Amino acid sequence: MRLYEFESKQLFENFKIPVSKRFIAKTSDEVYGFVENMAGSVVLKSQVLTGGRGKAGGIKFADGANEARTKARELLQMKINGYAVNSVLIELKLTVKKEYYVGVTLDRANYKIVIIASGEGGVDIEKTAVDHPEKIFKKSLSIKENLYSFDALLLAKKIGIPQPLLKESAYIIINLFELFKNYDAKLVEINPLVLTNDDKLIAADSRVSLDDDAVFRHVDLKEMGIETRHEEGEMTPRERQAYEWGIPYLDLDGDIGMFPGGAGFGIMGNDFIHYFGGKPANFMDSGGGPAPERIAKMLVLLDENPNVKAIFGARFGGISRCDDFAKGVIMFLKEHGLSKPMVMRMTGNMWQEGVRMFEEAKKENPELFEHIEFHGIETPIEEIAKRAVELAKEERGQ
Amino acid sequence: MRLYEFESKQLFENFKIPVSKRFIAKTSDEVYGFVENMAGSVVLKSQVLTGGRGKAGGIKFADGANEARTKARELLQMKINGYAVNSVLIELKLTVKKEYYVGVTLDRANYKIVIIASGEGGVDIEKTAVDHPEKIFKKSLSIKENLYSFDALLLAKKIGIPQPLLKESAYIIINLFELFKNYDAKLVEINPLVLTNDDKLIAADSRVSLDDDAVFRHVDLKEMGIETRHEEGEMTPRERQAYEWGIPYLDLDGDIGMFPGGAGFGIMGNDFIHYFGGKPANFMDSGGGPAPERIAKMLVLLDENPNVKAIFGARFGGISRCDDFAKGVIMFLKEHGLSKPMVMRMTGNMWQEGVRMFEEAKKENPELFEHIEFHGIETPIEEIAKRAVELAKEERGQ
Amino acid sequence: MAILCDKNSKVMVQGITGGAGKFHTERMLAYGTNIVGGTSPGKGGQTVSGKPVFDTVVECVEATQADVSVIFLPARFVKEAAIEAIRAGIKFIVAIPEHIPIHDMLYVREEAVKAKATVIGGNTAGVMTPGEANLGIMPDIAFAPGRVGTVSRSGSITYYVADTLTRTGFGESTCVGLGGDPVLGSTFDEILWKFEEDEKTKAVVMCGEIGGVYEECATETIRKMKTPVLAMIGGIYAPPGKRMGHAGAIVEGKMGTAKEKLDILAAAGAHPCRTFLDIPETLKKLGV
Amino acid sequence: MAILCDKNSKVMVQGITGGAGKFHTERMLAYGTNIVGGTSPGKGGQTVSGKPVFDTVVECVEATQADVSVIFLPARFVKEAAIEAIRAGIKFIVAIPEHIPIHDMLYVREEAVKAKATVIGGNTAGVMTPGEANLGIMPDIAFAPGRVGTVSRSGSITYYVADTLTRTGFGESTCVGLGGDPVLGSTFDEILWKFEEDEKTKAVVMCGEIGGVYEECATETIRKMKTPVLAMIGGIYAPPGKRMGHAGAIVEGKMGTAKEKLDILAAAGAHPCRTFLDIPETLKKLGV
């Protein structure tokens, strides 16, 4: 999960990485209030969890409170990569003499932590890595190692930090590394690290991405108001609902409700639907070994989503058992009812038991099953996907 | 430096090592006040920075507030190994089913951290190590390693912790290890770790010795009121004065004031005086490269100590320079004056300069030097020590 | 012949007394897997499905000569559990749990490399050598002994691929669940090379997905292999920046798109497949 | 011949621009020590006593081929400084500062052992090979080239012993200050063995003191040595539990009493000396 700039700058401050004094505002009037008391030009930065903010016009400069209010209003009405701007960060405008890049990230291929530095800051580091690999300097460390000041200082020297600032910049790099280690980060970046005209180093922009699976160790984040979220963009209301129910779920822009078992086939099934000419309305995964209640809730999410025209169900019981799955589906059918056509396939662990349960329930309440086409291991999953695409097409009346 | 039991138990509590609820009292009336509100028998433990408290009668049990007051009064009048008892720790008396030992210490010979555990708690672990080495279990780790729970659990199992408490005891051991690492400790001990009749584990006594040279890293200790002190016993007023002046100094029980250069000869010179039939009044070291002011203060400490009959001076200039040394002595003679006979030897770095300064000062104010016998490299230091013993004897009028 | 495990593997289960541990121990035993015991700190001396439980791995190994361990524990305990197994001399470890913190896995990997041990997972369905050993949570129904090896980041994909191979008569030599987490105990290239060295394996189906770099890292190995490699990649139509179920399945910046992974693998000589049905057809064309 | 350093040693100084660093660089140069440069982060490009200053040890080694480093820095920076030197390939490091935290020295030792480097100190007066190299803060006046090696935990004791050896005509091969801290970069046995292997050294004077275990650890080496060893131990009359100047000079519990140390060393074949004057007499008796 990615942090907002204002959140990651708070972490920077906690780790003694120099940042500007700043304010966060949710309305243009708040912006006016802050800027009124600031001497000098200010920069207004839209807070969004996506890249390319600068190019998209999400950063504006202003002289004085009035201009700031006007520009903030513009920002707060913008969408960047489709994501609404809900807040604006206000800082004094820096006088830039030079920009550097410093980052710490995972080198997953080699199972290392790598510190990356470049004399070319403020630009896309991945682009620099491709176009000018000679301008990028790295230091790889095993997870058990510390970053020593002499190594940090050598990096600082290589990227051309002026000599009087070498020691200070080495500590900035070390502190960034400490932040990375302390918060189980996947990526922390200062881009750019600005050298101002009066020879101060300041982290002008910041990026922090944390390992979702380690957030439980960092209770202070919650105290800071930092909640689990996507790497890019905030959760939609339905995603938030699913998250609270413990269901990995994403809204997509199609009309086929995806009700698969397993994240892997959740991803692949999404492709299959596209291959066969359809578009999924969502991604979903049941999580490992779901209880019947969770299965039922998965169907609620789909059935109540007005975009969904037909449902593609697939269950290959592994750690998740077909009997629990069947129990969940039946629970949903009885308590909620299915209003959309569904085609599904079920096999895997305890499939016989699952089939038996479906048959019994159907004998009891055949009307609950009228929208369901049921298949077992004998039908390739591709056929099921094709049928779901057909059903959605029919439903759309095409 | 060693912490008092009540201080180390506070650290234990911070590291989630189970300790009893406790009160610390400086007067018997305070003890009365606490015990009045406690249900059950209590234990009163004298707080002293020395071992063998139990054998010396420094731990007493009491039923009710009146008995507690009486016994506390006794404790607060005691001396243990010569150290006054200034405060008493009050805890509920534990019902002991079994006692264990758990400690973490340095294995200096092998440059390791070693976790030690034994099923024989509440006794001298060094004695157990000699008498019953088979009852002691160890795990050595390099400074870069962590103690894993499975290793802690194996130790717990070996010393016979009951199975239902294995996991809990493993975490006690791990937390003790974390405390050791976090505070730059030399030794941390739970002795005994008590298994109570109702099957709870409690650290009944605690010992924490920290590395004096790393205390600067642990500012929270000062906030807890934990100041630098000896490994055994508190500082005397003169030692405290010297400490504040930055002078390593110890009070001893003889009458020869020791004014050496270098800790090594400070220690050895103390032996020499004994060999030649004298007794030093102190240990002193100038510390590396002392300024003249510090040299002068060293002499003040000796001259104002009524126990000192004669002064033994030795300076072999290394990082400490003879010219600075001479400057300091002359400063003392002029500003304070020497009231006791002193024999001294000076050589080493910048000795010519030192000698020249003494000669000039003496020419100017011969009266300041009347108590000083001065030697250079030509006289073996043993002769100087012998002379100091003689001077003290003369002074005592023997 | 098989890779990683067979009927002679002496398998222990870490977390054997937990709900999932118990359930799957029973299932693995029912399949014929040679389960010899398990661990649960503080519960040594009990039994699960007739197999002895120990407090620590060291004790279990001493008593049972276990040489493989399957971990069924909450994710936050996997780091210590895996390191415990490695230090106790276990050379093959299957880490079933999902959501293992990334930094934890870096520690595990470091220990594993040092000890020349193989760790599979986290977030894996396990490893299956049909007819011999089922380590993990894979459903028996999909599998049959045969000549194609599979390695996948996803459990469900493993099942669908095996299902397809079984239905079409190829069967599987060994099926390896690499795991869905972002940092894995083993990589595609390491498993591919084990298949290359396995006589019984005539082809390998490799199923990757968006996120991470492990597919990309396999290209050199694929180039060196004589055994043909078929490649599927999930997530061609995945949205960027959104974690798709698996912690590892997320396109971050320009890293880890499915399209690029498939292109790189094809360039290295792998045979790309879009759907499961492409697999038997490709195998037939290759004469496997 | 000498141990650890001689006139060919290429010596650098870490912390060369500081007060003590500058002063002693000047002194060491005046003695004839082959100082080639030094470091001070952020001050690269300056000179001290005509010798170049670098920001990092790596740069200094590259430019000067330094193979020995003497550290003059505040104690809290010694850990990183020593590790920096070790990683830059320096094989002999003299850590002058006192009050280096114990845990820091454990890290340094671990790096040194891994790299087969020798670290002396902390809290050492340095190492002196009379007439060839003076590394540290020892006063020239005490020393003269000769045939007795010395190794001591104390600077002042080193001077008194050398003074005695010089006055009585034996002179010194090399004088090693082991250091007064509780955990030291090198131990008595390691230095004793270097003397054993040095042709020029006909006897060794070893001066220990209360505290720690390094004297005790030397017994096996002393037993193996052909070169005679004379032993002095300071602190026979030291009070327990009180740190005597040196952080390492403290009797803790039953550990580290002088009496026991002297007894153990004598039992191993060392010749005990009470005062400095005993040294030349013992040497004469031994025919050195």
Side-chain angles (χ1 to χ4, degrees), chain D residues 140-164:
Chain D
D140 315 352
I141 188 175
F143 300 86
R147 60 188 186 275
V148 179
T150 79
V151 53
S152 169
R153 273 169 63 192
S154 149
S156 50
I157 298 297
T158 301
Y159 314 158
Y160 283 109
V161 170
D163 174 9
T164 308

mmCIF file of all heavy atoms in Angstrom, chain D residues 140-164:
data_model
loop_
_atom_site.group_PDB
_atom_site.id
_atom_site.type_symbol
_atom_site.label_atom_id
_atom_site.label_comp_id
_atom_site.label_asym_id
_atom_site.label_seq_id
_atom_site.Cartn_x
_atom_site.Cartn_y
_atom_site.Cartn_z
ATOM 1 N N ASP D 140 58.238 8.664 22.671
ATOM 2 C CA ASP D 140 59.467 8.101 22.112
ATOM 3 C C ASP D 140 60.499 7.795 23.187
ATOM 4 O O ASP D 140 61.241 6.824 23.105
ATOM 5 C CB ASP D 140 60.133 9.097 21.151
ATOM 6 C CG ASP D 140 59.156 9.741 20.208
ATOM 7 O OD1 ASP D 140 57.986 9.306 20.194
ATOM 8 O OD2 ASP D 140 59.554 10.675 19.494
ATOM 9 N N ILE D 141 60.545 8.640 24.182
ATOM 10 C CA ILE D 141 61.667 8.625 25.136
ATOM 11 C C ILE D 141 61.861 7.275 25.802
ATOM 12 O O ILE D 141 62.983 6.887 26.135
ATOM 13 C CB ILE D 141 61.480 9.725 26.211
ATOM 14 C CG1 ILE D 141 62.744 9.849 27.074
ATOM 15 C CG2 ILE D 141 60.262 9.470 27.065
ATOM 16 C CD1 ILE D 141 62.685 10.975 28.081
ATOM 17 N N ALA D 142 60.789 6.516 25.966
ATOM 18 C CA ALA D 142 60.885 5.259 26.704
ATOM 19 C C ALA D 142 61.515 4.135 25.895
ATOM 20 O O ALA D 142 61.915 3.129 26.454
ATOM 21 C CB ALA D 142 59.489 4.836 27.178
ATOM 22 N N PHE D 143 61.572 4.296 24.570
ATOM 23 C CA PHE D 143 61.811 3.134 23.715
ATOM 24 C C PHE D 143 63.184 3.122 23.044
ATOM 25 O O PHE D 143 63.744 4.156 22.727
ATOM 26 C CB PHE D 143 60.732 3.072 22.633
ATOM 27 C CG PHE D 143 59.344 2.947 23.202
ATOM 28 C CD1 PHE D 143 58.615 4.074 23.576
ATOM 29 C CD2 PHE D 143 58.782 1.697 23.398
ATOM 30 C CE1 PHE D 143 57.348 3.965 24.107
ATOM 31 C CE2 PHE D 143 57.506 1.570 23.937
ATOM 32 C CZ PHE D 143 56.785 2.710 24.297
ATOM 33 N N ALA D 144 63.694 1.914 22.808
ATOM 34 C CA ALA D 144 64.901 1.727 22.013
ATOM 35 C C ALA D 144 64.811 0.375 21.337
ATOM 36 O O ALA D 144 64.283 -0.580 21.925
ATOM 37 C CB ALA D 144 66.137 1.785 22.909
ATOM 38 N N PRO D 145 65.311 0.248 20.115
ATOM 39 C CA PRO D 145 65.245 -1.045 19.432
ATOM 40 C C PRO D 145 65.931 -2.113 20.274
ATOM 41 O O PRO D 145 66.950 -1.842 20.918
ATOM 42 C CB PRO D 145 65.995 -0.808 18.127
ATOM 43 C CG PRO D 145 65.976 0.672 17.928
ATOM 44 C CD PRO D 145 65.983 1.272 19.299
ATOM 45 N N GLY D 146 65.392 -3.323 20.246
ATOM 46 C CA GLY D 146 65.977 -4.369 21.074
ATOM 47 C C GLY D 146 65.300 -5.700 20.889
ATOM 48 O O GLY D 146 64.651 -5.934 19.871
ATOM 49 N N ARG D 147 65.403 -6.551 21.922
ATOM 50 C CA ARG D 147 65.044 -7.951 21.722
ATOM 51 C C ARG D 147 63.889 -8.467 22.568
ATOM 52 O O ARG D 147 63.594 -9.670 22.559
ATOM 53 C CB ARG D 147 66.274 -8.828 21.938
ATOM 54 C CG ARG D 147 66.915 -8.739 23.314
ATOM 55 C CD ARG D 147 68.242 -9.518 23.276
ATOM 56 N NE ARG D 147 68.883 -9.636 24.561
ATOM 57 C CZ ARG D 147 69.689 -8.709 25.089
ATOM 58 N NH1 ARG D 147 69.920 -7.567 24.446
ATOM 59 N NH2 ARG D 147 70.246 -8.925 26.255
ATOM 60 N N VAL D 148 63.223 -7.574 23.294
ATOM 61 C CA VAL D 148 62.100 -8.026 24.109
ATOM 62 C C VAL D 148 60.787 -7.426 23.578
ATOM 63 O O VAL D 148 60.703 -6.220 23.365
ATOM 64 C CB VAL D 148 62.304 -7.644 25.593
ATOM 65 C CG1 VAL D 148 61.107 -8.112 26.435
ATOM 66 C CG2 VAL D 148 63.587 -8.249 26.118
ATOM 67 N N GLY D 149 59.810 -8.271 23.374
ATOM 68 C CA GLY D 149 58.486 -7.787 22.975
ATOM 69 C C GLY D 149 57.655 -7.497 24.215
ATOM 70 O O GLY D 149 57.846 -8.123 25.253
ATOM 71 N N THR D 150 56.760 -6.517 24.114
ATOM 72 C CA THR D 150 55.865 -6.282 25.248
ATOM 73 C C THR D 150 54.433 -6.205 24.751
ATOM 74 O O THR D 150 54.161 -5.739 23.645
ATOM 75 C CB THR D 150 56.194 -4.981 26.017
ATOM 76 O OG1 THR D 150 55.672 -3.861 25.303
ATOM 77 C CG2 THR D 150 57.683 -4.796 26.217
ATOM 78 N N VAL D 151 53.540 -6.662 25.600
ATOM 79 C CA VAL D 151 52.111 -6.543 25.299
ATOM 80 C C VAL D 151 51.394 -6.274 26.616
ATOM 81 O O VAL D 151 51.605 -6.965 27.604
ATOM 82 C CB VAL D 151 51.576 -7.792 24.576
ATOM 83 C CG1 VAL D 151 51.887 -9.082 25.323
ATOM 84 C CG2 VAL D 151 50.068 -7.673 24.348
ATOM 85 N N SER D 152 50.587 -5.203 26.602
ATOM 86 C CA SER D 152 50.027 -4.722 27.859
ATOM 87 C C SER D 152 48.643 -4.166 27.643
ATOM 88 O O SER D 152 48.324 -3.668 26.565
ATOM 89 C CB SER D 152 50.929 -3.616 28.404
ATOM 90 O OG SER D 152 50.293 -2.957 29.473
ATOM 91 N N ARG D 153 47.811 -4.261 28.653
ATOM 92 C CA ARG D 153 46.492 -3.647 28.552
ATOM 93 C C ARG D 153 46.546 -2.167 28.865
ATOM 94 O O ARG D 153 45.549 -1.454 28.720
ATOM 95 C CB ARG D 153 45.503 -4.353 29.503
ATOM 96 C CG ARG D 153 44.860 -5.567 28.840
ATOM 97 C CD ARG D 153 44.098 -6.423 29.814
ATOM 98 N NE ARG D 153 42.977 -5.729 30.419
ATOM 99 C CZ ARG D 153 42.300 -6.189 31.460
ATOM 100 N NH1 ARG D 153 42.641 -7.346 32.013
ATOM 101 N NH2 ARG D 153 41.307 -5.508 31.969
ATOM 102 N N SER D 154 47.691 -1.684 29.308
ATOM 103 C CA SER D 154 47.773 -0.290 29.747
ATOM 104 C C SER D 154 48.884 0.462 29.043
ATOM 105 O O SER D 154 49.990 -0.065 28.860
ATOM 106 C CB SER D 154 48.032 -0.271 31.248
ATOM 107 O OG SER D 154 48.781 0.867 31.599
ATOM 108 N N GLY D 155 48.602 1.699 28.658
ATOM 109 C CA GLY D 155 49.622 2.547 28.057
ATOM 110 C C GLY D 155 50.728 2.862 29.037
ATOM 111 O O GLY D 155 51.920 2.646 28.762
ATOM 112 N N SER D 156 50.363 3.333 30.209
ATOM 113 C CA SER D 156 51.398 3.751 31.154
ATOM 114 C C SER D 156 52.300 2.587 31.542
ATOM 115 O O SER D 156 53.521 2.742 31.663
ATOM 116 C CB SER D 156 50.774 4.412 32.393
ATOM 117 O OG SER D 156 49.741 3.614 32.941
ATOM 118 N N ILE D 157 51.713 1.403 31.684
ATOM 119 C CA ILE D 157 52.541 0.236 32.020
ATOM 120 C C ILE D 157 53.499 -0.069 30.870
ATOM 121 O O ILE D 157 54.670 -0.386 31.079
ATOM 122 C CB ILE D 157 51.652 -0.987 32.334
ATOM 123 C CG1 ILE D 157 50.771 -0.700 33.555
ATOM 124 C CG2 ILE D 157 52.510 -2.227 32.551
ATOM 125 C CD1 ILE D 157 51.503 -0.458 34.832
ATOM 126 N N THR D 158 53.013 0.050 29.641
ATOM 127 C CA THR D 158 53.876 -0.142 28.471
ATOM 128 C C THR D 158 55.092 0.779 28.561
ATOM 129 O O THR D 158 56.225 0.367 28.316
ATOM 130 C CB THR D 158 53.103 0.155 27.171
ATOM 131 O OG1 THR D 158 51.985 -0.719 27.089
ATOM 132 C CG2 THR D 158 53.980 -0.021 25.943
ATOM 133 N N TYR D 159 54.843 2.044 28.936
ATOM 134 C CA TYR D 159 55.946 3.001 28.999
ATOM 135 C C TYR D 159 56.943 2.609 30.091
ATOM 136 O O TYR D 159 58.158 2.649 29.890
ATOM 137 C CB TYR D 159 55.454 4.431 29.275
ATOM 138 C CG TYR D 159 54.270 4.882 28.443
ATOM 139 C CD1 TYR D 159 53.457 5.923 28.887
ATOM 140 C CD2 TYR D 159 53.980 4.301 27.217
ATOM 141 C CE1 TYR D 159 52.382 6.357 28.146
ATOM 142 C CE2 TYR D 159 52.895 4.724 26.475
ATOM 143 C CZ TYR D 159 52.086 5.746 26.948
ATOM 144 O OH TYR D 159 51.017 6.169 26.221
ATOM 145 N N TYR D 160 56.408 2.258 31.253
ATOM 146 C CA TYR D 160 57.306 1.914 32.360
ATOM 147 C C TYR D 160 58.131 0.676 32.036
ATOM 148 O O TYR D 160 59.306 0.597 32.353
ATOM 149 C CB TYR D 160 56.518 1.700 33.663
ATOM 150 C CG TYR D 160 56.093 2.997 34.308
ATOM 151 C CD1 TYR D 160 54.764 3.401 34.316
ATOM 152 C CD2 TYR D 160 57.044 3.837 34.911
ATOM 153 C CE1 TYR D 160 54.373 4.595 34.893
ATOM 154 C CE2 TYR D 160 56.654 5.044 35.496
ATOM 155 C CZ TYR D 160 55.315 5.422 35.486
ATOM 156 O OH TYR D 160 54.941 6.606 36.052
ATOM 157 N N VAL D 161 57.495 -0.290 31.395
ATOM 158 C CA VAL D 161 58.219 -1.518 31.053
ATOM 159 C C VAL D 161 59.289 -1.216 30.016
ATOM 160 O O VAL D 161 60.441 -1.630 30.145
ATOM 161 C CB VAL D 161 57.232 -2.598 30.536
ATOM 162 C CG1 VAL D 161 57.982 -3.776 29.938
ATOM 163 C CG2 VAL D 161 56.312 -3.058 31.658
ATOM 164 N N ALA D 162 58.904 -0.445 28.980
ATOM 165 C CA ALA D 162 59.867 -0.109 27.937
ATOM 166 C C ALA D 162 61.010 0.709 28.542
ATOM 167 O O ALA D 162 62.196 0.456 28.270
ATOM 168 C CB ALA D 162 59.177 0.667 26.824
ATOM 169 N N ASP D 163 60.667 1.660 29.362
ATOM 170 C CA ASP D 163 61.630 2.497 30.068
ATOM 171 C C ASP D 163 62.647 1.610 30.798
ATOM 172 O O ASP D 163 63.873 1.765 30.670
ATOM 173 C CB ASP D 163 60.798 3.370 31.035
ATOM 174 C CG ASP D 163 61.631 4.207 31.975
ATOM 175 O OD1 ASP D 163 62.863 4.280 31.798
ATOM 176 O OD2 ASP D 163 61.026 4.805 32.889
ATOM 177 N N THR D 164 62.118 0.600 31.498
ATOM 178 C CA THR D 164 62.976 -0.325 32.237
ATOM 179 C C THR D 164 63.851 -1.145 31.290
ATOM 180 O O THR D 164 65.058 -1.305 31.506
ATOM 181 C CB THR D 164 62.100 -1.277 33.085
ATOM 182 O OG1 THR D 164 61.193 -0.486 33.859
ATOM 183 C CG2 THR D 164 62.955 -2.127 34.005
#
